[in-house]
Amino acid sequence: MYYYNSNNSGDRIYENGGMVPYGENPNGKGGDNKKKNGGFTRFLKKFTSLTLAAALFGSVSAATFSYVNGALTGDDETETVETATSAAATSSSSSSSSDSALDGTADAGASVAAYSDGDDSSAEYTGEATETEAETETTETEYTVAEIAALGLKSVVAVTNVSVQEVESYFGGSHGHNSRSQITTEETTSVGSGVIIKETDEYIYIVTNYHVVEDATTLSVTFVDDETYEAILCGADEDMDIAVIAVVTSDVSMQTIAEIAVAAIGSSDEASVGDEVVAIGNALGYGQSVTYGIISAKDRTISSSDGTSATYLQTDAAINPGNSGGALFNMNGELIGINSAKLASTEVEGMGYAIPISSIIDILESIIGEEL
């Protein structure tokens, strides 16, 4: 049985009246309490050392990973790496003093936290990488011929031109001495194709060849759903053999509006010899048909019967009468040419021509009054 001394010395007074210093065994054998306190101190130091080592390893690993990423991607993250390295150095110096072990642990934790907060740059880098990958994935998609046909038929129309022409007829003597000629007029019908290039609340604009609508008294357009509507001539460039016609949007049924589509405008300048192409048009007036080939040549200068000349895309895709004004699509489904059967010859095969869309885009926008 023992009591504490009232003089606050920490000594204990035993029942036998003896007094021994605090922490010593009254039997004279070592201080058990001192041993216990010493073991706890050593444990605390080891635990602190392990904590500092883990923090140091984590900081250096994170800094190294960030540096390697920056080197591989070309991003400049030197500032972040220096911050992390500085944090690691602070942690290392803190671990050298056992007296400030707990303070060192706090400093290392703060440094690691500071680096974690600095991960905003890593987050930004991750975002940039994601955007780059997205841009790579959103490269132009190439379609099959069947897919382009399904898309293109929605934007290609049949154009019917009804015109009145003067016809000279003869009657009288068989040798012509007494024969007399008479000028009469008769109504004629011709067919061609067109491509929808813009749709507004007022009009659905269609590009075609000038020779398809030349001298028309009435024009009509038949869409993909076989519904026919009257069209008007908006403007033309005879030298380029280009014309724009339009259908009043309010005249077209909602069912037809749902079926048709505006063609995506591409760039004929970017086309290359050997590129695959798809031609769609109202061949021979039998309805829309699809042919397939390649671009055989670019910038072919062809002179027409009236003496004018222009440059064309040459293709081995069949361009037959009725295809005039139809579409030449690339494999991305983009309109790169307006077909012209006027230049076709019965003496050769596999030589069709199309007006490059890039050479007439300004004319079309000038006629429509809006950008395409």
Side-chain angles (χ1 to χ4, degrees):
M1 190 74 177
Y2 60 86
Y3 305 91
Y4 282 103
N5 191 0
S6 61
N7 60 9
N8 295 326
S9 64
D11 296 338
R12 296 172 183 170
I13 301 174
Y14 286 80
E15 289 181 335
N16 59 7
M19 182 180 295
V20 287
Y22 178 75
E24 291 186 5
N25 192 306
N27 296 324
K29 297 180 182 179
D32 291 338
N33 292 331
K34 185 176 182 180
K35 287 184 179 179
K36 291 179 180 179
N37 289 338
F40 176 77
T41 301
R42 285 193 298 272
F43 171 77
L44 180 60
K45 288 181 178 180
K46 288 182 180 180
F47 177 79
T48 302
S49 298
L50 289 174
T51 302
L52 291 173
L56 175 62
F57 178 79
S59 298
V60 172
S61 299
T64 304
F65 178 78
S66 180
Y67 176 79
V68 172
N69 272 349
L72 291 176
T73 60
D75 291 339
D76 185 8
E77 298 190 12
T78 304
E79 183 177 350
T80 303
V81 174
E82 289 177 354
T83 301
T85 304
S86 176
T90 302
S91 300
S92 177
S93 63
S94 298
S95 65
S96 64
S97 175
S98 60
D99 293 337
S100 59
L102 295 177
D103 291 339
T105 303
D107 291 342
S111 299
V112 173
Y115 175 69
S116 299
D117 291 339
D119 274 348
D120 289 344
S121 61
S122 298
E124 291 174 2
Y125 160 71
T126 302
E128 290 173 0
T130 302
E131 291 175 2
T132 302
E133 291 170 1
E135 290 174 0
T136 303
E137 292 174 358
T138 55
T139 52
E140 293 181 334
T141 303
E142 288 196 357
Y143 297 99
T144 64
V145 175
E147 290 171 333
I148 292 175
L151 293 171
L153 286 169
K154 293 178 177 291
S155 58
V156 178
V157 303
V159 179
T160 301
N161 175 348
V162 177
S163 60
V164 176
Q165 297 183 350
E166 294 182 344
V167 177
E168 187 175 14
S169 62
Y170 295 89
F171 64 93
S174 59
H175 299 290
H177 296 290
N178 298 319
S179 63
R180 297 170 60 186
S181 62
Q182 182 177 352
I183 303 299
T184 60
T185 59
E186 62 180 33
E187 190 175 80
T188 61
T189 301
S190 60
V191 295
S193 305
V195 186
I196 302 172
I197 55 173
K198 192 173 185 65
E199 181 181 341
T200 68
D201 293 337
E202 292 184 278
Y203 296 104
I204 298 171
Y205 293 98
I206 299 162
V207 60
T208 185
N209 288 139
Y210 171 75
H211 72 264
V212 171
V213 298
E214 187 177 7
D215 298 328
T217 55
T218 60
L219 290 169
S220 60
V221 166
T222 302
F223 292 105
V224 65
D225 61 350
D226 291 328
E227 293 296 323
T228 301
Y229 299 91
E230 184 177 350
I232 58 174
L233 179 63
C234 298
D237 187 313
E238 184 176 355
D239 292 337
M240 294 297 295
D241 195 24
I242 284 295
V244 175
I245 60 177
V247 175
V248 177
T249 305
S250 59
D251 291 344
V252 182
S253 70
M254 294 302 297
Q255 290 82 358
T256 298
I257 293 291
E259 291 291 329
I260 64 178
V262 176
I265 306 296
S267 172
S268 55
D269 290 340
E270 295 179 3
S272 300
V273 173
D275 284 352
E276 296 173 297
V277 290
V278 175
I280 302 179
N282 182 26
L284 301 178
Y286 293 151
Q288 306 295 358
S289 63
V290 178
T291 58
Y292 166 77
I294 64 169
I295 294 178
S296 305
K298 291 183 64 177
D299 302 323
R300 283 286 195 228
T301 301
I302 306 294
S303 297
S304 60
S305 57
D306 59 7
T308 60
S309 62
T311 57
Y312 297 87
L313 295 173
Q314 181 183 322
T315 177
D316 64 352
I319 307 294
N320 297 302
N323 279 124
S324 287
L328 188 70
F329 292 107
N330 61 19
M331 300 310 290
N332 297 318
E334 298 170 330
L335 180 67
I336 61 170
I338 304 300
N339 301 326
S340 180
K342 184 178 181 180
L343 302 172
S345 173
T346 57
E347 300 174 355
V348 295
E349 293 182 0
M351 291 182 67
Y353 297 93
I355 302 168
I357 193 68
S358 297
S359 68
I360 59 172
I361 194 73
D362 290 340
I363 299 173
L364 300 179
E365 291 178 341
S366 176
I367 293 174
I368 295 174
E370 297 183 37
E371 291 186 359
L372 297 177

